[in-house]
Amino acid sequence: MTHGMHTDTHSPYLDGGRDWRDTATRYALLPLRVFLGVTFIYAGLDKLTDSAFMKDSGSGSIGDMMRAVHDSSAIPAMVDMALNNPVAFGYAIAFGELAVGIGTLIGLFARLAALGGALISLSLWLTVSWASDPYYYGNDLAYLMAWLPLVLAGASVFSVDAALRARRRERVGGYR
C-alpha cells in the first residue's frame, strides 16, 4: 500500500478490468462485420430478385437510375461505362455485393472482402449519391467509412480466416 492506494497488480479489479477491455477490444468489430455482411448480402439478393432492377430501361431499372444520376455524379465517365451495358453492370454490382457480404459475414478473406465493399461503396458514392445535399444524406459515404476498419483489421474472431490462422499455428508448432 502506498498513500492509501492498493498497488497489488494481482487485484481482481485490475485484472478484471483489463480482461473485460481486452475481450471488448477483440470483439469490437464483430457487430460492424455482421451488419455490413448481412446488409450487403441483402442488397445483392434484393437486386437479383427485383425483376424491374435488372433491365436496361423502365421504372426502377438500373439503366434508368444510371441515366438519372449521370449529370450529377462526380465522375460521369463511370456512369458512361455502366450505361454501355446496364444489365451486366447491375449483375456485377449484385454479385459483388453478395461476395463481399458472404466473405465479410463468415470472415473469409475478410480484408479483401472489406476492400471490395469499400470500393463498391466508393463507386456508388461517386455516382449515385454524389449529389446528396447535405452530403450526409447519402449513405454510401457512411458505408465507405464503415468498411475501412475492417480493411485494416480483418476478422479476428468467429471467422474462417481466424480458424485458418489457428490451424497454421498448430502445424508450425507441431514441427518443433
Side-chain angles (χ1 to χ4, degrees):
M1 291 271 200
T2 309
H3 303 289
M5 294 175 50
H6 191 339
T7 59
D8 181 6
T9 59
H10 297 291
S11 165
Y13 299 108
L14 292 175
D15 290 344
R18 188 177 324 115
D19 289 345
W20 182 87
R21 284 189 300 274
D22 290 346
T23 300
T25 299
R26 195 167 64 247
Y27 292 94
L29 293 178
L30 188 59
L32 183 62
R33 204 176 102 211
V34 169
F35 170 75
L36 290 171
V38 168
T39 299
F40 267 56
I41 290 170
Y42 179 81
L45 290 175
D46 188 45
K47 287 173 182 65
L48 290 172
T49 58
D50 182 351
S51 59
F53 183 78
M54 291 298 179
K55 295 195 186 246
D56 184 32
S57 62
S59 180
S61 70
I62 181 70
D64 278 3
M65 181 180 68
M66 297 312 291
R67 281 185 283 280
V69 301
H70 182 273
D71 293 335
S72 63
S73 73
I75 307 174
M78 284 178 67
V79 178
D80 289 337
M81 286 189 327
L83 285 171
N84 285 334
N85 191 338
V87 175
F89 177 73
Y91 278 110
I93 289 292
F95 285 120
E97 287 173 336
L98 272 175
V100 162
I102 291 167
T104 300
L105 191 61
I106 68 171
L108 178 62
F109 303 115
R111 283 189 173 102
L112 182 60
L115 180 61
L119 291 174
I120 290 170
S121 296
L122 176 63
S123 67
L124 292 174
W125 176 55
L126 292 173
T127 56
V128 177
S129 63
W130 180 257
S132 296
D133 187 32
Y135 76 93
Y136 50 82
Y137 280 178
N139 63 350
D140 296 311
L141 179 59
Y143 278 105
L144 171 60
M145 293 300 118
W147 282 112
L148 296 181
L150 296 177
V151 170
L152 296 171
S156 62
V157 295
F158 300 123
S159 69
V160 175
D161 291 347
L164 292 173
R165 277 191 305 275
R167 189 177 215 185
R168 276 193 299 267
R169 277 194 304 271
E170 283 178 15
R171 269 192 268 160
V172 170
Y175 291 120
R176 286 183 178 175

